[in-house]
């Protein structure tokens, strides 16, 4: 933890961050010793939502005409709504231009963070997709009071029967959501209370299914463009390659241009405009999850749980943190086994040569396969074969898996490109013959959802 405050109003940002900045300067100049080895220190990034970023950088907030932290675009305002429609003439900010206040309208003061050595005030403060893309853009589709599909106004607002149909589809998908998702699907009319993880689930996986054939084809295709662009930058695989990153940027640009036609220029808010800068952040730091606020937002709950009474709030939090630190140092940490079989039983399906022990559950650091739950038993092997796992057992003293083979037979969508290019397909079982594969053949877990009694497989991106 860097700093913590409690009170009726925010403290002065520069005073609040003084100790942090001084420590960064000391560490940058002298390095830090870890296990008697001197290591160089450099502040990699600061992750903030838009209001916090404006607060610590001493710049205009999201309602300002010159509020973008990545480029010099000037916003326009109609009916008291600020929007940023330009997608081409974007002059990027630089660390030098920020320090010299080349665009004075962007600044409201001078941030103490500028004193940190080797810290690029533009590049090292990336855009957090949790607030920008999920709680910003995706939530607007559903909840915006003007053009939201659920809480907007005609002609954007969906009919009540269509809203109910989407909710029914979401509830049918609930049992197909893997255990890696902390929150399952719930009715769409509760979208105002959705958490960021629920908007991510909707944007990447369930939305393309439940919206199909309900919203207009133009709106649906536009949503798919956003979903695909987001999938590329969230994926740890695709975000490693420049051609995919560039394609995602082009998709975001296409999305913004089309959204202006569908919803009007007021749709292009500060958050939506920032979609154009996500690709640059990914080039610097990798997948969007490498610099998201999810982990920090989750920690907020831990901080709240440390408070037992209304007085001396800061003291309570600090004492609990110190106590936990002392406990961690005094207790020997158990080593986590990267692979673990559990829930042994003896009534699973077997084929010739296979023997017990049998297991229902197989866990790795990144995912869990559970044969008792349909949502948790679809995997992809190293040769791209899709398998529905039915048992874990032994063959000649080696752990193997038994399952049914599935094949891809059709793309789920064809615009803006064939979905199969990004491993999104309709799939079906090849036959009812149980087959076996070595455990080492497992490549990754899949999320398989159902639409019109057909299975659609998606790669699980956020792991």
């Amino acid at each position: 933890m860097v700093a913590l405050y409690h009170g009726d109003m925010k403290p002065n940002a520069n005073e609040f961050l003084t100790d942090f900045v001084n420590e960064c300067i000391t560490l940058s100049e002298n390095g830090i010793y870890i296990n008697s080895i001197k290591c160089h220190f450099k502040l990699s990034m600061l992750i903030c939502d838009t209001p916090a970023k404006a607060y610590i950088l001493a710049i205009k907030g999201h309602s300002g005409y010159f509020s973008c932290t990545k480029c010099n675009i000037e916003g326009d305002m109609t009916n008291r709504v600020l929007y940023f429609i330009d997608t081409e003439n974007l002059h990027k900010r630089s660390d030098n231009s920020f320090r010299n206040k080349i665009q004075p309208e962007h600044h409201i003061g001078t941030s103490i963070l500028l004193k940190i050595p080797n810290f690029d005030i533009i590049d090292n403060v990336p855009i957090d997709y949790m607030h920008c893309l999920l709680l910003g853009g995706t939530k607007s589709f559903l909840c915006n009071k003007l053009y939201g599909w659920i809480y907007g106004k005609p002609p954007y607002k969906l009919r009540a029967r269509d809203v109910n149909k989407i909710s029914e589809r979401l509830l049918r998908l609930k049992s197909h959501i893997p255990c890696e998702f902390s929150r399952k699907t719930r009715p769409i009319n509760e979208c105002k209370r959705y958490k960021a993880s629920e908007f991510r689930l909707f944007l990447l996986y369930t939305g393309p299914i439940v919206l199909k054939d309900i919203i207009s084809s133009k709106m649906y295709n536009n949503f798919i463009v956003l979903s695909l662009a987001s999938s590329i930058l969230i994926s740890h695989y695709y975000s490693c390659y420049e051609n995919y990153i560039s394609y995602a940027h082009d998709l975001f640009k296409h999305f913004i241009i089309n959204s202006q036609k569908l919803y009007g220029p007021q749709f292009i808010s500060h958050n939506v405009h920032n979609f154009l800068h996500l690709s640059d952040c990914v080039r610097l730091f990798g997948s969007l999850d490498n610099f998201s606020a999810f982990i920090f937002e989750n920690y907020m709950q831990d901080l709240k749980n440390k408070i037992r009474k209304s007085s001396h709030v800061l003291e309570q939090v600090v004492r609990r943190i110190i106590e936990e630190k002392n406990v961690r140092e005094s207790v020997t940490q158990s080593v986590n086994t990267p692979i673990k079989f559990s829930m042994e039983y003896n009534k699973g399906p077997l084929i010739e040569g296979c023997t017990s022990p049998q297991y229902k559950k197989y866990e790795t650091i990144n995912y869990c396969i559970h044969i008792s739950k349909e949502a948790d038993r679809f995997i992809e092997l190293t040769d791209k074969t899709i398998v529905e796992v039915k048992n874990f057992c032994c063959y000649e003293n080696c752990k193997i898996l038994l399952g049914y083979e599935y094949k891809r037979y059709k793309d789920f969508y064809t615009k803006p490109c064939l979905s199969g290019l990004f491993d999104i397909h309709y799939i079906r079982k090849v036959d009812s013959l149980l087959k076996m594969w070595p455990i080492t053949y497992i490549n990754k877990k899949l999320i398989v959802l159902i639409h019109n009694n057909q299975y659609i497989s998606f790669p699980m991106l956020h792991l």
Side-chain angles (χ1 to χ4, degrees), residues 279-329:
S279 56
D280 287 333
C281 297
V282 169
R283 288 186 179 98
L284 290 170
F285 301 110
S287 162
L288 290 177
D289 279 316
N290 290 350
F291 51 92
S292 83
F294 272 105
I295 186 172
F296 307 109
E297 292 287 341
N298 292 338
Y299 186 60
M300 289 290 289
Q301 189 62 41
D302 290 341
L303 292 179
K304 291 178 182 177
N305 290 337
K306 299 181 193 307
I307 301 171
R308 294 290 181 265
K309 58 182 180 178
S310 58
S311 62
H312 305 292
V313 172
L314 295 181
E315 290 89 337
Q316 292 181 66
V317 174
V318 172
R319 286 170 183 163
R320 298 297 87 75
I321 291 175
I322 293 173
E323 289 168 1
E324 290 174 357
K325 180 176 180 292
N326 293 335
V327 169
R328 284 197 299 268
E329 290 177 351

Side-chain angles (χ1 to χ4, degrees), residues 211-333:
L211 296 175
K212 198 174 182 67
D213 302 323
I214 292 183
I215 61 175
S216 70
S217 60
K218 289 183 178 180
M219 288 184 175
Y220 180 78
N221 290 336
N222 193 51
F223 178 80
I224 291 296
V225 168
L226 179 63
S227 175
L228 179 57
S230 306
S231 298
I232 293 171
L233 297 189
I234 290 174
S235 166
H236 291 288
Y237 173 78
Y238 297 123
S239 60
C240 292
Y241 298 94
E242 175 58 32
N243 57 328
Y244 287 119
I245 297 174
S246 297
Y247 181 52
H249 177 75
D250 292 341
L251 288 174
F252 278 131
K253 186 183 295 186
H254 180 70
F255 167 79
I256 289 176
I257 293 171
N258 270 0
S259 295
Q260 292 181 51
K261 298 175 183 177
L262 291 171
Y263 307 104
Q266 296 175 352
F267 181 88
I268 316 303
S269 63
H270 178 95
N271 280 323
V272 175
H273 164 75
N274 271 329
F275 295 175
L276 295 173
H277 301 301
L278 288 174
S279 56
D280 287 333
C281 297
V282 169
R283 288 186 179 98
L284 290 170
F285 301 110
S287 162
L288 290 177
D289 279 316
N290 290 350
F291 51 92
S292 83
F294 272 105
I295 186 172
F296 307 109
E297 292 287 341
N298 292 338
Y299 186 60
M300 289 290 289
Q301 189 62 41
D302 290 341
L303 292 179
K304 291 178 182 177
N305 290 337
K306 299 181 193 307
I307 301 171
R308 294 290 181 265
K309 58 182 180 178
S310 58
S311 62
H312 305 292
V313 172
L314 295 181
E315 290 89 337
Q316 292 181 66
V317 174
V318 172
R319 286 170 183 163
R320 298 297 87 75
I321 291 175
I322 293 173
E323 289 168 1
E324 290 174 357
K325 180 176 180 292
N326 293 335
V327 169
R328 284 197 299 268
E329 290 177 351
S330 62
V331 175
T332 303
Q333 297 292 322

Side-chain angles (χ1 to χ4, degrees), residues 66-314:
F66 300 91
S67 57
C68 180
T69 59
K70 297 296 183 180
C71 70
N72 292 339
I73 189 172
E74 179 181 359
D76 296 300
M77 184 172 286
T78 301
N79 296 328
R80 301 177 66 183
V81 177
L82 185 69
Y83 53 90
F84 303 82
I85 58 175
D86 197 351
T87 60
E88 297 294 340
N89 303 310
L90 304 180
H91 301 288
K92 294 182 180 179
R93 299 188 191 278
S94 67
D95 181 71
N96 184 61
S97 69
F98 186 95
R99 292 175 185 273
N100 292 320
K101 298 185 179 180
I102 300 299
Q103 189 182 61
E105 300 91 343
H106 180 59
H107 302 263
I108 59 173
T110 301
S111 173
I112 194 174
L113 296 176
L114 294 173
K115 294 182 179 181
I116 299 176
N118 303 314
F119 182 71
D120 190 308
I121 203 71
I122 301 299
D123 288 346
N124 293 134
V125 187
I127 295 170
D128 164 45
Y129 91 99
M130 173 185 158
H131 292 94
C132 166
L133 180 58
L134 302 178
L135 295 174
T138 307
K139 187 174 183 177
S140 293
F141 272 127
L142 305 175
C143 304
N144 187 276
K145 62 183 180 181
L146 175 62
Y147 45 76
W149 298 331
I150 310 303
Y151 290 103
K153 296 179 180 179
Y156 310 109
K157 184 178 181 180
L158 297 176
R159 295 171 296 183
R161 65 182 181 185
D162 288 333
V163 173
N164 291 335
K165 192 172 183 179
I166 292 174
S167 293
E168 290 170 4
R169 288 182 175 182
L170 285 170
L171 292 177
R172 281 200 296 268
L173 291 177
K174 187 174 183 178
S175 61
H176 296 272
I177 305 301
C179 61
E180 287 77 15
F181 294 83
S182 57
R183 295 177 183 271
K184 311 303 181 185
T185 53
R186 52 175 167 160
I188 198 67
N189 53 12
E190 296 182 21
C191 59
K192 284 186 176 180
R193 297 190 296 276
Y194 276 13
K195 300 296 185 181
S197 59
E198 292 173 283
F199 284 116
R200 179 173 59 186
L201 177 63
F202 184 84
L203 175 64
L204 302 182
Y205 307 108
T206 60
I209 290 177
V210 301
L211 296 175
K212 198 174 182 67
D213 302 323
I214 292 183
I215 61 175
S216 70
S217 60
K218 289 183 178 180
M219 288 184 175
Y220 180 78
N221 290 336
N222 193 51
F223 178 80
I224 291 296
V225 168
L226 179 63
S227 175
L228 179 57
S230 306
S231 298
I232 293 171
L233 297 189
I234 290 174
S235 166
H236 291 288
Y237 173 78
Y238 297 123
S239 60
C240 292
Y241 298 94
E242 175 58 32
N243 57 328
Y244 287 119
I245 297 174
S246 297
Y247 181 52
H249 177 75
D250 292 341
L251 288 174
F252 278 131
K253 186 183 295 186
H254 180 70
F255 167 79
I256 289 176
I257 293 171
N258 270 0
S259 295
Q260 292 181 51
K261 298 175 183 177
L262 291 171
Y263 307 104
Q266 296 175 352
F267 181 88
I268 316 303
S269 63
H270 178 95
N271 280 323
V272 175
H273 164 75
N274 271 329
F275 295 175
L276 295 173
H277 301 301
L278 288 174
S279 56
D280 287 333
C281 297
V282 169
R283 288 186 179 98
L284 290 170
F285 301 110
S287 162
L288 290 177
D289 279 316
N290 290 350
F291 51 92
S292 83
F294 272 105
I295 186 172
F296 307 109
E297 292 287 341
N298 292 338
Y299 186 60
M300 289 290 289
Q301 189 62 41
D302 290 341
L303 292 179
K304 291 178 182 177
N305 290 337
K306 299 181 193 307
I307 301 171
R308 294 290 181 265
K309 58 182 180 178
S310 58
S311 62
H312 305 292
V313 172
L314 295 181

